[in-house]
């Protein structure tokens, strides 16, 4: 028997955890944290480390992780990309000694490992086995399933969709996807190289609600128009690790004859991807009593000549020649006087829940009231628009069914393709479907 089970609700954005079970052999498609569900009980930024230590049965009871009965001695997970809402669910498992096998192309695994090393002890990483996959190549995961990674575009490097082959069915899992650089036709052609038809498609539908119509190709010109008249420090707040976006920041810095300074936590992620050359200097705070191991690694491999601290940025004579890139979490590091005439950019994913809106507003208040800078939100969504997902589904033409999730309103999809049968949009936590 072949079946899939969804351990998330279709009408929430993030927290993907899909289990494919074939004759008792299980693999997971992503294993994310539902930040929406977590925010009902915790502030993840402040309390996330404690969350991982809570009894697994209690976490399962609150639908933060799947039921314990689904977690085998070694949990096999195929990861689409390195966003917390797609891999972060493994952290509680690691804390409780459950062994995890992660499968993804090498660049994805490097990024996940870098992010984990910033948030958990090195000893816990010993509970993970990393298995790199070759892009566009079929790999046998267990006795029942083969997979093929297909490179796609999203708001982070190393993002992939997957074709999955069982003895009886072929499935396509989008992960998170957009079509700014890898086009719909490209993906369809890639899939057709490996299979004549798809039986089931599992697709995100986040873009049914779009707050920004910008595409990634628009970002550079928009930022140039905003920043060309900046007289003081330019601060860009971001949490992402999307090298195309950092290339844009670098191009703008060169255009404005400025240097790019990046906060160390973001620099380490670029370093993991081999792309730390996209910045000029790295800000490592001098106030730390103990430097974490990942920061020591960064310092050792990048070199002292590219390291600065807050004293360099405090110097007003330097502020006019810098673009500073930092995560919102460390905004209070800017606890010094800034030269008038600066500008702040927020280059952050659009919020989809109350906690996200509160965090966005909190950052805006800080910029306006503390930094006294004007603030502009400049971001291209990492998710395809609703009509684009429709085109991808019709192009792949799944024969037996479509599962729609990762969406504020998945039921809208049925109205966009009323002629398609077997569309599941009302998926609840732990719901199971038999593949026929």
């Amino acid at each position: 028997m072949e079946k899939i089970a969804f351990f998330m609700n279709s009408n929430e954005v993030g927290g993907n955890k899909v289990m494919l079970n074939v004759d008792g052999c299980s693999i997971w498609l992503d294993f994310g944290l539902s930040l929406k569900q977590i925010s009902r009980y915790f502030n993840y930024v402040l309390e996330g480390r404690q969350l991982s230590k809570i009894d697994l049965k209690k976490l399962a009871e609150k639908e933060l992780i799947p039921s314990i009965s689904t977690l085998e001695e070694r949990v096999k997970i195929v990861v689409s990309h390195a966003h917390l809402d797609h891999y972060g669910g493994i952290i509680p498992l690691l804390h409780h000694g459950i062994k995890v096998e992660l499968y993804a192309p090498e660049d994805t695994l490097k990024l996940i490992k870098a992010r984990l090393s910033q948030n958990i002890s090195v000893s816990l990483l010993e509970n993970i086995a990393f298995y790199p996959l070759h892009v566009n190549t079929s790999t046998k995961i267990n006795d029942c399933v083969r997979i093929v990674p297909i490179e796609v575009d999203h708001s982070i490097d190393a993002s992939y969709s997957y074709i999955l082959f069982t003895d009886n069915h072929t499935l396509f899992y989008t992960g998170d996807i957009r079509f700014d650089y890898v086009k719909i036709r490209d993906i369809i052609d890639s899939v057709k190289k490996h299979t004549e038809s798809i039986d089931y498609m599992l697709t995100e539908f986040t873009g049914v609600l779009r707050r920004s119509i910008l595409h990634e190709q628009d970002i550079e010109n928009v930022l140039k128009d905003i920043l060309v008249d900046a007289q003081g420090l330019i601060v860009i707040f971001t949490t992402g690790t999307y090298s195309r976006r950092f290339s844009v920041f670098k191009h703008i810095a060169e255009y404005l004859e400025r240097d790019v300074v990046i906060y160390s936590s973001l620099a380490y992620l670029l370093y993991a991807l081999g792309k730390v050359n996209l910045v000029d200097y790295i800000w490592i705070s001098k106030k730390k009593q103990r430097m974490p191991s990942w920061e020591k690694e960064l310092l050792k491999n990048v070199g002292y000549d590219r390291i600065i601290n807050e004293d360099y940025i405090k110097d007003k004579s330097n502020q006019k020649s810098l673009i500073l890139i930092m995560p919102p979490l460390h905004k209070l590091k800017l606890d010094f006087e800034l030269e008038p005439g600066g500008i702040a950019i927020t280059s952050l994913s659009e919020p989809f829940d109350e906690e996200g809106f509160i965090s966005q507003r909190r950052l805006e208040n800080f910029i306006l009231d503390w930094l006294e800078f004007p603030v502009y939100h400049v971001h291209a969504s990492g998710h395809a628009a609703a009509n684009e997902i429709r085109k991808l589904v019709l192009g792949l033409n799944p024969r037996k069914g479509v599962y729609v999730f990762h969406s504020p309103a998945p039921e809208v999809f049925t109205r966009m393709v009323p002629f398609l049968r077997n569309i599941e949009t009302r998926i609840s936590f732990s719901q199971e479907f038999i593949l026929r």
Side-chain angles (χ1 to χ4, degrees):
M1 181 182 293
E2 299 182 1
K3 54 188 177 181
I4 53 174
F6 293 83
F7 290 87
M8 76 263 200
N9 297 301
S10 58
N11 63 348
E12 65 178 297
V13 176
N16 285 25
K17 291 181 288 292
V18 183
M19 184 176 69
L20 172 62
N21 185 289
V22 180
D23 298 328
C25 302
S26 295
I27 68 164
W28 292 85
L29 303 175
D30 285 329
F31 205 88
L33 279 178
S34 169
L35 300 181
K36 178 181 178 181
Q37 186 72 358
I38 286 174
S39 68
R40 295 183 61 194
Y41 310 109
F42 311 101
N43 181 309
Y44 185 75
V45 173
L46 299 178
E47 302 170 295
R49 292 182 184 272
Q50 287 73 34
L51 171 69
S52 298
K53 299 171 185 177
I54 294 174
D55 183 73
L56 289 180
K57 290 182 179 179
K58 177 62 74 173
L59 293 179
E61 178 186 319
K62 300 304 178 186
E63 299 185 351
L64 296 175
I65 64 169
S67 60
I68 306 302
S69 62
T70 65
L71 303 176
E72 300 175 351
E73 186 176 335
R74 296 186 71 88
V75 181
K76 297 177 182 287
I77 304 167
V78 178
V79 186
S80 62
H81 62 285
H83 277 154
L84 193 68
D85 62 333
H86 287 257
Y87 77 87
I90 70 172
I91 297 175
L93 306 189
L94 300 177
H95 273 281
H96 289 272
I98 294 178
K99 303 294 184 181
V100 172
E101 296 180 5
L102 288 188
Y103 296 83
E106 189 170 8
D107 49 0
T108 309
L109 295 179
K110 284 181 178 179
L111 199 46
I112 291 174
K113 189 173 184 178
R115 290 195 153 191
L116 287 172
S117 68
Q118 292 179 324
N119 292 287
I120 65 174
S121 66
V122 175
S123 61
L124 288 180
L125 289 175
E126 295 175 0
N127 288 333
I128 309 178
F130 296 91
Y131 292 96
L133 303 173
H134 296 289
V135 182
N136 292 319
T137 301
S138 177
T139 301
K140 195 173 184 180
I141 298 298
N142 54 30
D143 292 336
C144 306
V145 181
R146 293 184 297 111
I147 62 172
V148 178
I150 303 293
E151 186 174 9
V152 298
D153 186 28
H154 182 42
S155 55
I156 186 172
D157 284 53
S159 296
Y160 296 89
S161 296
Y162 290 95
I163 312 169
L164 299 103
F165 298 94
T166 71
D167 287 342
N168 301 310
H169 298 100
T170 303
L171 300 85
F172 182 74
Y173 173 67
T174 64
D176 285 357
I177 195 169
R178 69 177 181 187
F179 308 111
D180 286 7
Y181 288 101
V182 183
K183 303 299 184 181
I184 296 172
R185 188 71 254 169
D186 298 331
I187 294 170
I188 294 172
D189 289 345
S190 293
V191 172
K192 297 297 184 184
K193 289 178 182 177
H194 296 277
T195 179
E196 293 182 1
S197 63
I198 295 291
D199 295 309
Y200 294 96
M201 183 167 174
L202 291 70
T203 182
E204 69 127 308
F205 194 54
T206 322
V208 68
L209 173 61
R210 288 286 290 267
R211 294 187 175 89
S212 171
I213 60 172
L214 290 181
H215 292 278
E216 198 65 39
Q217 297 91 329
D218 303 323
I219 297 295
E220 183 164 348
N221 287 334
V222 171
L223 284 176
K224 279 183 178 178
D225 288 344
I226 294 170
L227 299 176
V228 67
D229 295 320
Q231 299 301 308
L233 182 66
I234 295 171
V235 185
I236 300 176
F237 290 99
T238 187
T239 58
T241 311
Y242 187 56
S243 60
R244 289 185 190 272
R245 185 76 57 87
F246 280 90
S247 294
V248 166
F249 298 155
K250 180 66 172 171
H251 292 162
I252 290 171
E254 292 169 349
Y255 175 73
L256 299 176
E257 298 182 342
R258 291 176 178 245
D259 290 323
V260 177
V261 176
I262 188 171
Y263 198 75
S264 60
S265 58
L266 292 177
Y268 183 67
L269 301 180
L270 284 179
Y271 160 75
L273 290 169
K275 297 182 179 180
V276 76
N277 62 312
L278 293 175
V279 300
D280 299 297
Y281 297 105
I282 297 168
W283 176 7
I284 294 182
S285 176
K286 69 176 185 179
K287 296 180 180 179
K288 294 180 179 177
Q289 294 181 348
R290 186 175 64 87
M291 185 177 287
S293 58
W294 61 265
E295 207 166 53
K296 290 178 182 178
E297 181 186 354
L298 179 66
L299 183 60
K300 176 183 176 182
N301 288 280
V302 171
Y304 285 87
D305 58 328
R306 294 179 63 190
I307 304 300
I308 63 170
N309 60 38
E310 48 270 35
D311 290 341
Y312 188 86
I313 305 171
K314 283 180 181 179
D315 188 334
K316 290 186 177 180
S317 65
N318 292 329
Q319 291 176 14
K320 294 181 180 181
S321 63
L322 298 178
I323 293 180
L324 172 62
I325 305 172
M326 65 187 307
L329 178 62
H330 295 290
K331 61 183 179 290
L332 290 178
K333 298 289 185 181
L334 298 173
D335 59 345
F336 44 81
E337 188 174 353
L338 297 174
E339 185 76 6
I343 291 176
I345 301 293
T346 60
S347 183
L348 301 161
S349 298
E350 58 269 55
F352 280 94
D353 57 27
E354 183 178 1
E355 184 78 16
F357 282 107
I358 291 172
S359 297
Q360 177 177 283
R361 188 57 187 159
R362 191 181 292 129
L363 176 61
E364 292 167 350
N365 290 340
F366 174 81
I367 294 168
L368 294 172
D369 298 344
W370 287 47
L371 304 186
E372 297 183 332
F373 283 4
V375 56
Y376 300 85
H377 181 67
V378 182
H379 182 66
S381 175
H383 301 278
N387 64 304
E388 294 174 317
I389 292 294
R390 179 182 184 273
K391 289 178 182 177
L392 180 63
V393 172
L394 294 180
L396 291 175
N397 191 27
R399 299 185 304 120
K400 295 186 176 182
V402 182
Y403 298 91
V404 183
F405 47 87
H406 201 294
S407 175
E411 64 279 359
V412 172
F413 186 76
T414 58
R415 294 186 173 274
M416 297 180 67
V417 284
F419 47 86
L420 279 187
R421 296 182 178 180
N422 300 322
I423 300 174
E424 294 287 350
T425 60
R426 292 191 172 97
I427 302 170
S428 58
F429 192 92
S430 76
Q431 189 168 359
E432 189 175 273
F433 300 87
I434 295 174
L435 303 181
R436 303 188 185 280

